Structures are given as structure tokens and as C-alpha cells.
């Protein structure tokens, strides 16, 4: 066995379990610290006899293995986390006394977990789904969890509907499928009977629900929260995360293929970026407003199915989030991290949003179920990094136990009596007045379900609108019951006529249904908002994107080195895709190593591709279906394609030689290599899609 170092779990002197690097020269032990002599064979009566129950080494090993799994999250089961920090750009003392926002330049440690909602823990990364964007800030006055999504609105207005929504979205209970997708009867049945979901449906049918990477998506706190300053004055606030990398999504056909080619596409992307030192960043933006705005705004600021357009309340950027460290252990950190919306700190408070109020119960409750003990805050990823003193004690797995005799207060033990409450510093709820009869009603102010759905739709570029229609047709094509499909179209008629007609045609409906009864007939004609489109908020460069270079033996050495140079100066990555994983020899006989073998590295894994073959190489690949798919898929997914003259036969075999357009760039020299990279900054050549039927 080699003497290399590896990570292991060790008990520290204080008894706490922590990770440290151990050497393979260390002796293997049981959990009790007893040295193990033989880890290959159980204890048995004679070489061929039965295993003895007495074998405590084997029993401990199997016992522990049997208990390795904990319940997966009921939603957001599949996720990926990383560490980083939040840096405050300016002091916000006038708005909030939250310690994290007091000092310009202050850095606060954070842990972030991204996730998909519907799929199980082992599902793929690219279903059409909302992405979770949960941030735990370890502030000096306690942990603040901002548990958001990559979409600023939600399906429902009241937490009491959450179990119904989730039941309808996940696998159907009798058959246990479909996995990680909403393209089935139960989901659309529920949605078609829940008009409040229509705004969210426009968002989830848009390309927002198939992001290219966690790094290229926005995040939102969704609800209206409160800021409270040192003088007790409160303002309302909505939180936004804006990726410095720009927005980018994949196309649906690509998503379907990525799930097969690399189900870990998003987690691998985040891991690679961070481990290579290309740390993703988001800026924290605030929409700040007061009661007067809330009163005059067209919608209720407590309704989580609505946004406040940035044109009405601009987003003020106040800090940045940088992810710069991957986890040491997936289970210890990403799986055991426990976000709770109730985790707020002095200076931040809840609003009366009924969805948020319900969440505040659900998260704490679910952590107890998942992690098995009220002591889940003792797990390092959940523990605050500021001092903690309280009288809560015992319970399963109590690790940090209070010292001393007094475990209650008030007490008269003087200095040894433990911590005391502190009205000057402690958390005080904002004293908003509340009155009214106890009642189960939905406020009238929550009743307009279509105006913002329409606003979202008309804010998209034509190609994005097309994708929304395509997505609806795809999803509804998987719905067996025709009346459900019709009911969805009846809602679309209240959003956009053209969209509804297109979807109805695509579904083969004989006639248009009647528009759904709008709960509030007085729909508003809201103006378009550019911030709602992905394409209008795309990247300004190709930094952090990946180019797949399909190469064969004899590929032009000078063009490859030009491509290396231009990609490097742009901050883009290149990966060579070759007939064999051993790599290729270029025209100068130099060995170029490959990142992927062709059938393991389809073009869906890249943001742009270059076909850099020799003539003979192109001839050989022309008869190889995965190589043809590499080219034809890149074309179908509107990617920029760089190619050399010698690649002609492969382009012909892929059926695109006759269709070469402005998104296909002939690379002959330094200038054209540069030109190719510049074109890539547009991310996709969408013009091409207009020609597809
Ligand atoms: Fe939730 C997890 C985001 C509504 C109940 N939710 C969870 C996670 C995110 C969100 C990002 C994963 C956290 C992690 O990575 O561990 N949830 C949202 C947003 C919502 C929302 C943005 C609406 C604005 N959620 C919501 C409601 C309820 C829940 C209305 C229940 C009434 N959510 C949960 C949960 C989960 C959860 C069951 C599952 C695992 C967990 O909490 O830790 O409690």
C-alpha cells in the first residue's frame, strides 16, 4: 500500500469529531479505537465454517454501514454546497442594525447549497425545475439563513397548500414515477386548478428552469422581509443575488441529453470552477420600500406569487458573495446542513407573508426528522461561528454541553450563574400592529393571478417566448388526460392569446377552450421589464465557459495553440475530445492529451465547439455516429462552431455543410480564432433556431 496521505475522521482531544489528514501508516481501528489486525476476513469457525456472532469488529462495521443513510429532504433532496464569504460594500446602519451590514469591507463566512426541488437525491442535475439557492451567513450575531430559489416567485400563496403542491409534483404515489419532473398528470391537474401558480408557471416553463450552471443563475429571497435599524425603524426589503458571470441557460433538447451524458453536470461544474480558482461571485441586491409604496403598489407585497419589477423599485447592490472552497466531506456538510427560514438575526425580521410564516414552522421540524436530534446545531456546518451561551441541554448526540451547576435562569449563582438576557443587544421583533378576526380567507389583494404572468411573458425575447411555448407543449404532451391539457390552455388564454393558440395547436386540440374564470377580471396591462429575460442579461464575455475541441491525429498544431491562447485570454476553458482517451498527435507529432473520448464527451457538455481534425481524421469520424452527433447537436443547440477546412467531410456527414451560417466560423489563423471567441460572447447563435421547423 502506498504511503500517501488521505483524509480520515479523528476524535480530537475535546472529544469532538473532526476531519484531519491522516497518513496511511496509521493503524486502522474500530470506532472504539481498538487496532484492527485483519479487515479482509470475518471471524469464523474454521476456514470454511460459519461466521461467529462474537466478531465485534465485523459487527461494528456492518452495524455502522446499515445506519449510513438519513432521510433525504422531502424537497430539494438533490443539492450541492460550497463555502465562501460575503463582503459588505457599504454600511447600511440607517436601514438595519444587522451586524453583517454595519462595516464596509467586512467579510462574513457563508455556506451555500444549490438544489433541484422535485428529484430524489440520486436524480440528475438538469430536469426542468426550480433551483434552490440557500445561503447560511455565519454572522457575529448568529446565523442568518436566506433560503431562496433561482426564481423570485412561488407556486402558491399560502403554506397550507405546500404538501399538495409537492405531492402533485413528485412521483405519482401508485407507480413511483416519473422521477424529477413535472411532466405528468398529477402536477398539471393541480396547477390547472390553482390559478395562483400561473406567474410561477411562466417562469418554470422558461429557460430559467434549465440553467447552464449554478454559477450562471440569479437567486431571490422571494418574500418581503423587514429591515429594522438601531432606532427601531422598519423598512421592507426583498433580496436578490445577481451572478457576476451573467445569466445563461441550456436548451431543452440539450438538457435531456446532458442528464444522460453527465447527470452530475451542475455539481461537477461548481466543483471544477472552485478547485481551479475561478471562484463564482454574486452581488447581493436589495429592493427597499416602505409602507407607502406597499399601499400604492398594484399587488400585495405579502403575496409570494408576485415580484416588484426593478423598474418600480431599483435593486441596490450592497455586497458580494464569493464561493471559494469546496466541501471536505459531502455528507458532513452538504447533506447535514440545515437551513431554517426562522434563522434571522437582530436587524432582520419576517413579514406577514403567509407562505413565509408557514415555512418558519416547516424547516425546524424537518431538520429534527432528518438529523434526528434537536442538537443538529452541534454539527459543525450548522454551528454558529460566534459565541453561544444558553441553558438548552441533553438530547440525542449532545456534544457541546454547558458547564457548571446552574442550568436555569433566573438564578442567584452570581458570576457562575451563566448567561443573561440582554435587552440592549438581543433580538427584538418589530412591533407591527396586528388586528382582525381569526379567519380562513385569502385576501382580495392576492387575487390577480394573470397580470404578472403576462408581464413576464411579454418581457422575453421572441426566442425565449418560443421556448416557453415549446416547454408547455412538451410537458402537456406527457399528460394523459385531455381535459387537464385543455384546462391549462384555458389559463394561457388569460395570459397571452398567441401563446395559448400556439400551445393548443401544438397539442392538437380541436378547438380553443373558454378562457378560465379570472378570479379578478380587472387585469392590468403591465409594461415589459427587461430584467426578466435571460438573453437580455447574458454574459459580456465567455469567461468560465467551456469549449470542446474535437481533434484527431494530424490536427493543425498552430490552430490548436491559437485556440489555447484566445481561450486563456478570455478566461474560457478548453477540453480536447478525441477518438481515444490517450489523446492525439498533432500535425507536429506532439502528443495532445484528451479530456474525453468522443462517445463520452458529447457536445452538449460544452458551450461552444471547434472541429479541429485532419482530412483523414474527418474521413474516419464521418462514419462514426457519436462524432456526427457531436457536430449536428452543436448546430441544433445553436452553439458557435469553429471548424478547419479539413473538417469538411465530417460537417457533410453531420448534414450541416450546406447549412453553414454566421454561427459557424472557419478558423484558419490567429485572427479567425480571435473572431470565433468574440462571437462566443453572444453564447448562442439564436438566429439559427428561427430556421428550425
Ligand atoms: Fe422550502 C427546503 C426554498 C417554500 C418546506 N426550501 C428548501 C430548500 C430551499 C427552499 C432552497 C433547500 C434548503 C437546503 O439546501 O437544504 N421553499 C423555498 C422557497 C420557498 C419555499 C424559496 C418559497 C418562497 N418550503 C416552502 C414552503 C414549505 C417549505 C411553503 C412548507 C410549508 N422547504 C421546506 C422543507 C425543506 C425545504 C420541507 C425540505 C428540506 C429542508 O426544508 O431542509 O422544510
Amino acid at each position: 500500500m502506498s504511503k500517501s496521505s488521505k483524509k480520515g475522521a479523528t476524535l480530537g482531544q475535546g472529544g469532538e469529531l473532526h476531519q484531519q489528514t491522516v497518513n496511511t501508516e496509521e493503524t486502522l481501528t474500530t470506532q472504539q479505537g481498538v487496532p484492527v489486525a485483519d479487515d479482509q476476513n470475518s471471524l469464523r469457525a474454521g476456514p470454511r465454517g460459519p461466521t461467529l456472532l462474537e466478531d465485534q469488529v465485523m459487527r461494528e462495521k456492518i452495524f455502522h454501514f446499515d445506519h449510513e443513510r438519513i432521510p433525504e429532504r422531502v424537497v430539494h433532496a438533490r443539492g450541492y454546497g460550497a463555502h465562501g464569504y460575503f463582503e459588505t460594500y457599504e454600511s447600511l446602519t440607517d436601514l438595519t442594525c444587522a451586524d453583517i451590514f454595519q462595516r464596509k469591507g467586512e467579510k462574513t463566512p457563508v455556506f451555500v447549497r444549490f438544489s433541484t426541488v422535485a428529484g430524489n437525491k440520486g436524480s440528475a442535475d438538469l430536469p426542468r425545475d426550480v433551483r434552490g439557492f440557500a445561503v447560511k451567513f455565519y454572522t457575529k450575531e448568529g446565523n442568518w439563513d436566506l433560503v431562496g430559489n433561482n426564481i423570485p416567485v412561488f407556486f402558491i400563496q399560502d403554506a397550507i397548500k405546500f404538501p399538495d403542491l409537492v405531492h402533485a409534483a413528485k412521483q405519482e404515489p401508485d407507480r413511483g414515477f416519473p422521477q424529477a419532473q413535472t411532466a405528468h398528470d398529477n402536477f398539471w391537474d393541480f396547477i390547472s386548478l390553482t390559478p395562483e401558480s400561473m406567474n410561477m408557471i411562466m417562469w418554470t416553463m422558461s429557460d430559467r428552469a434549465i440553467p447552464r450552471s449554478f454559477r450562471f443563475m440569479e437567486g431571490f429571497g422571494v418574500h418581503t422581509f423587514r429591515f429594522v435599524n438601531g432606532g427601531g425603524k422598519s423598512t421592507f426589503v426583498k433580496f436578490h443575488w445577481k451572478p457576476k458571470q451573467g445569466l445563461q441557460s441550456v436548451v431543452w433538447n440539450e438538457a435531456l441529453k446532458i442528464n444522460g451524458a453527465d447527470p452530475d453536470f451542475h455539481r461537477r461544474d461548481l466543483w471544477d470552477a472552485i478547485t481551479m480558482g475561478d471562484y463564482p461571485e454574486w452581488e447581493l441586491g436589495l429592493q427597499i420600500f416602505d409602507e407607502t409604496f406597499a399601499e400604492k403598489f398594484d399587488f400585495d407585497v405579502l403575496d409570494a406569487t408576485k415580484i416588484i419589477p426593478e423598474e418600480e423599485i431599483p435593486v441596490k447592490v450592497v455586497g458580494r458573495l464569493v464561493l471559494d472552497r469546496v466541501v471536505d466531506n459531502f455528507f458532513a456538510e452538504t447533506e447535514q446542513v440545515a437551513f431554517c427560514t426562522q434563522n434571522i438575526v437582530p436587524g432582520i425580521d419576517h413579514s406577514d407573508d403567509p407562505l413565509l410564516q408557514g415555512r418558519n414552522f416547516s424547516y425546524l421540524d424537518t431538520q429534527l426528522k432528518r438529523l434526528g436530534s434537536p442538537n443538529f446545531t452541534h454539527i459543525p456546518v450548522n454551528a454558529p461561528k460566534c459565541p453561544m451561551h444558553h441553558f438548552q441541554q441533553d438530547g440525542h448526540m449532545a456534544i457541546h454541553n454547558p458547564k457548571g451547576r446552574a442550568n436555569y435562569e433566573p438564578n442567584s449563582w452570581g458570576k457562575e450563574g451563566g448567561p443573561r438576557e440582554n435587552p440592549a443587544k438581543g433580538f427584538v421583533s418589530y412591533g407591527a400592529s396586528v388586528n382582525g378576526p381569526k379567519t380562513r380567507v385569502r385576501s382580495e389583494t392576492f387575487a390577480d393571478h394573470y397580470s404578472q404572468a403576462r408581464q413576464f411573458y411579454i418581457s422575453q425575447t421572441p426566442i425565449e417566448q418560443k421556448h416557453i411555448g415549446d416547454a408547455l407543449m412538451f410537458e402537456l404532451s406527457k399528460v394523459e388526460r385531455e381535459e387537464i391539457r385543455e384546462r391549462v390552455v384555458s389559463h394561457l388564454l388569460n395570459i397571452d392569446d398567441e401563446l395559448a393558440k400556439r400551445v393548443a395547436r401544438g397539442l392538437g386540440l380541436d378547438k380553443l377552450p373558454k378562457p378560465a374564470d379570472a378570479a379578478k377580471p380587472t387585469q392590468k396591462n403591465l409594461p415589459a421589464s427587461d430584467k426578466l429575460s435571460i438573453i437580455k442579461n447574458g454574459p459580456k464575455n465567455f469567461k468560465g465557459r467551456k469549449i470542446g475541441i474535437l481533434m484527431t491525429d494530424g490536427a493543425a498544431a498552430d490552430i490548436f495553440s491559437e485556440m489555447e491562447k484566445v481561450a486563456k485570454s478570455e478566461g474560457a476553458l478548453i477540453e480536447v475530445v478525441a477518438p481515444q482517451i490517450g489523446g492525439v498527435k498533432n500535425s507536429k507529432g506532439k502528443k495532445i492529451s484528451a479530456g474525453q473520448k468522443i462517445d463520452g464527451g458529447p457536445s452538449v457538455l460544452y458551450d461552444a465547439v471547434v472541429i479541429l481534425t485532419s482530412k483523414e481524421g474527418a474521413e474516419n469520424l464521418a462514419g462514426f455516429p457519436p462524432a456526427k452527433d457531436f457536430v449536428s447537436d452543436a448546430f441544433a443547440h445553436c452553439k458557435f462552431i469553429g471548424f478547419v477546412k479539413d473538417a469538411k467531410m465530417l460537417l457533410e456527414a453531420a448534414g450541416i455543410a450546406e447549412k453553414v451560417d454566421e454561427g459557424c466560423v472557419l478558423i484558419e489563423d490567429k485572427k479567425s480564432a480571435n473572431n470565433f471567441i468574440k462571437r462566443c460572447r453572444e453564447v448562442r447563435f439564436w438566429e439559427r433556431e428561427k430556421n428550425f421547423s
Side-chain angles (χ1 to χ4, degrees):
M1 194 189 273
S2 87
K3 288 187 179 172
S4 62
S5 289
K6 61 174 187 178
K7 297 261 174 112
T10 343
L11 278 179
Q13 285 193 332
E16 72 279 15
L17 189 69
H18 60 84
Q19 299 295 318
Q20 75 173 34
T21 304
V22 291
N23 199 286
T24 48
E25 280 177 339
E26 301 278 3
T27 299
L28 180 75
T29 71
T30 64
Q31 287 214 65
Q32 303 298 332
V34 176
V36 173
D38 182 347
D39 192 35
Q40 318 303 320
N41 301 293
S42 56
L43 186 69
R44 50 189 86 119
R48 299 183 58 245
T51 299
L52 301 178
L53 192 59
E54 176 193 323
D55 186 352
Q56 81 279 9
V57 177
M58 182 197 72
R59 273 190 290 116
E60 183 200 78
K61 189 172 175 183
I62 305 269
F63 147 80
H64 196 275
F65 171 76
D66 289 345
H67 296 273
E68 275 179 10
R69 289 292 166 274
I70 61 172
E72 68 172 36
R73 289 164 172 84
V74 58
V75 280
H76 296 266
R78 183 168 178 82
Y80 209 61
H83 297 270
Y85 61 87
F86 174 75
E87 184 179 352
T88 304
Y89 285 163
E90 59 179 289
S91 168
L92 300 179
T93 320
D94 53 333
L95 288 171
T96 171
C97 59
D99 187 76
I100 183 176
F101 295 121
Q102 300 308 294
R103 293 162 297 275
K104 176 180 175 187
E106 171 137 336
K107 288 186 179 169
T108 302
V110 299
F111 186 78
V112 176
R113 184 173 179 274
F114 301 108
S115 47
T116 49
V117 179
N120 292 349
K121 204 176 150 213
S123 55
D125 277 350
L126 255 168
R128 174 173 296 285
D129 199 355
V130 184
R131 298 302 181 286
F133 192 134
V135 184
K136 190 181 282 295
F137 300 84
Y138 303 94
T139 88
K140 289 182 178 148
E141 288 193 339
N143 287 354
W144 171 35
D145 292 354
L146 184 57
V147 196
N149 280 340
N150 74 330
I151 289 179
V153 290
F154 203 62
F155 295 98
I156 47 169
Q157 297 171 323
D158 188 319
I160 199 171
K161 296 310 297 167
F162 192 68
D164 298 295
L165 165 72
V166 174
H167 287 176
K170 292 192 76 135
Q171 303 103 298
E172 298 190 0
D174 53 352
R175 58 211 68 192
F177 60 82
Q179 172 63 242
Q181 53 190 293
T182 51
H184 59 108
D185 286 64
N186 280 8
F187 178 75
W188 286 101
D189 189 30
F190 176 81
I191 290 298
S192 64
L193 297 169
T194 310
E196 72 206 55
S197 65
M198 284 306 138
N199 193 14
M200 181 68 164
I201 286 298
M202 286 295 109
W203 285 80
T204 55
M205 293 302 112
S206 80
D207 294 343
R208 297 255 175 181
I210 42 171
R212 154 66 176 85
S213 155
F214 297 135
R215 299 181 292 139
F216 306 150
M217 61 187 204
E218 290 182 305
F220 304 90
V222 180
H223 312 280
T224 294
F225 292 88
R226 278 186 188 276
F227 265 167
V228 186
N229 73 11
K233 183 170 173 272
S234 166
T235 38
F236 289 123
V237 57
K238 273 182 177 272
F239 297 103
H240 296 243
W241 292 112
K242 303 259 182 199
K244 279 202 165 172
Q245 298 76 222
L247 298 183
Q248 186 183 329
S249 284
V250 300
V251 297
W252 178 237
N253 180 265
E254 206 180 3
L256 291 173
K257 291 173 177 166
I258 291 173
N259 283 336
D262 184 5
D264 305 308
F265 189 64
H266 282 161
R267 50 176 66 183
R268 193 188 306 282
D269 171 273
L270 191 67
W271 175 274
D272 286 350
I274 297 176
T275 50
M276 282 186 299
D278 184 12
Y279 302 141
E281 284 190 28
W282 289 259
E283 288 191 308
L284 179 67
L286 309 177
Q287 281 182 301
I288 306 277
F289 54 97
D290 56 15
E291 301 273 0
T292 319
F293 171 84
E295 283 298 315
K296 70 166 206 267
F297 182 51
D298 281 337
F299 303 91
D300 198 320
V301 299
L302 302 181
D303 174 359
T305 66
K306 306 295 180 326
I307 57 161
I308 301 178
E310 294 190 31
E311 288 75 10
E312 296 212 36
I313 301 282
V315 171
K316 174 185 165 73
V317 169
V318 297
R320 67 178 182 136
L321 164 73
V322 180
L323 294 183
D324 62 357
R325 185 159 62 87
V326 294
V327 295
D328 284 332
N329 182 281
F330 179 86
F331 181 83
E333 295 153 79
T334 306
E335 192 58 17
Q336 292 198 115
V337 67
F339 292 94
C340 295
T341 52
Q342 62 164 18
N343 288 353
I344 49 172
V345 290
I348 300 174
D349 209 344
H350 307 298
S351 69
D352 295 339
D353 175 341
L355 199 68
L356 176 60
Q357 297 275 327
R359 291 179 75 191
N360 290 339
F361 164 71
S362 186
Y363 288 71
L364 183 63
D365 190 43
T366 211
Q367 307 312 352
L368 185 63
K369 167 82 181 169
R370 278 195 328 113
L371 300 166
S373 157
N375 291 318
F376 66 83
T377 50
H378 297 203
I379 299 170
V381 71
N382 295 323
K385 296 191 195 295
C386 62
M388 270 178 295
H389 310 283
H390 52 74
F391 296 109
Q392 291 163 30
Q393 65 171 36
D394 302 353
H396 285 294
M397 304 291 164
I399 296 182
H400 302 289
N401 300 299
K403 293 194 176 123
R405 187 166 177 183
N407 58 355
Y408 59 92
E409 65 97 24
N411 64 52
S412 61
W413 291 96
K415 274 195 173 161
E416 280 143 42
R420 294 284 185 263
E421 61 208 15
N422 181 346
K425 190 169 172 235
F427 182 88
V428 182
S429 292
Y430 179 69
S433 335
V434 186
N435 59 36
K438 279 191 203 168
T439 171
R440 290 184 190 272
V441 289
R442 200 68 65 88
S443 167
E444 249 305 288
T445 52
F446 281 41
D448 176 355
H449 305 314
Y450 300 103
S451 302
Q452 282 207 355
R454 175 171 174 77
Q455 178 177 45
F456 179 79
Y457 185 72
I458 62 165
S459 302
Q460 309 300 311
T461 58
I463 207 77
E464 290 172 300
Q465 289 185 338
K466 174 175 178 292
H467 290 175
I468 292 174
D470 292 348
L472 281 159
M473 285 185 263
F474 177 90
E475 294 267 315
L476 295 171
S477 75
K478 304 283 179 183
V479 169
E480 291 164 14
R481 280 168 53 202
E482 195 172 339
E483 71 271 22
I484 298 178
R485 291 183 227 141
E486 277 178 13
R487 213 155 47 222
V488 175
V489 174
S490 75
H491 290 291
L492 298 180
L493 283 164
N494 288 346
I495 297 172
D496 184 87
D497 237 35
E498 280 311 305
L499 173 69
K501 285 181 186 151
R502 197 177 150 237
V503 173
R505 268 198 312 276
L507 294 173
L509 295 191
D510 292 335
K511 60 177 177 38
L512 275 180
K514 274 203 339 233
D517 287 343
K520 188 169 186 176
T522 51
Q523 269 186 248
K524 295 176 187 68
N525 227 342
L526 302 172
S529 165
D530 281 349
K531 297 287 179 192
L532 304 183
S533 147
I534 297 174
I535 293 182
K536 293 178 199 166
N537 296 282
K540 296 185 176 51
N541 53 42
F542 211 50
K543 187 171 179 298
R545 272 72 181 173
K546 206 168 181 184
I547 303 170
I549 306 194
L550 182 61
M551 281 179 87
T552 60
D553 283 342
D558 50 340
I559 296 202
F560 182 65
S561 73
E562 280 312 328
M563 280 312 305
E564 279 186 313
K565 274 188 230 153
V566 292
K568 194 169 173 206
S569 68
E570 186 74 8
L573 293 172
I574 58 173
E575 184 163 86
V576 171
V577 182
Q580 289 173 331
I581 195 63
V584 295
K585 276 197 179 138
N586 70 14
S587 58
K588 290 193 176 146
K590 189 178 159 206
K591 181 94 183 241
I592 308 288
S593 53
Q596 296 287 352
K597 179 174 177 305
I598 295 176
D599 42 2
S603 61
V604 293
L605 301 182
Y606 306 102
D607 298 289
V609 299
V610 174
I611 318 298
L612 178 43
T613 61
S614 62
K615 226 179 192 160
E616 199 190 341
E619 262 175 51
N620 290 338
L621 290 184
F624 187 48
K628 288 193 280 185
D629 288 350
F630 187 96
V631 182
S632 59
D633 270 353
F635 190 81
H637 301 145
C638 299
K639 286 179 183 163
F640 286 97
I641 302 176
F643 65 98
V644 292
K645 269 202 190 115
D646 285 344
K648 195 170 163 236
M649 272 203 71
L650 180 55
L651 300 193
E652 274 169 10
I656 69 162
E658 300 300 308
K659 300 183 200 157
V660 161
D661 55 26
E662 284 171 32
C664 302
V665 180
L666 178 64
I667 304 184
E668 293 177 300
D669 50 19
K670 189 173 171 177
K671 198 171 154 213
S672 46
N674 249 308
N675 183 30
F676 173 70
I677 270 287
K678 277 193 200 140
R679 293 304 313 274
C680 287
R681 290 177 190 162
E682 292 162 43
V683 185
R684 304 273 168 149
F685 184 64
W686 293 119
E687 279 300 302
R688 193 182 291 150
E689 194 174 320
K690 292 185 186 153
N691 302 327
F692 302 157
S693 55

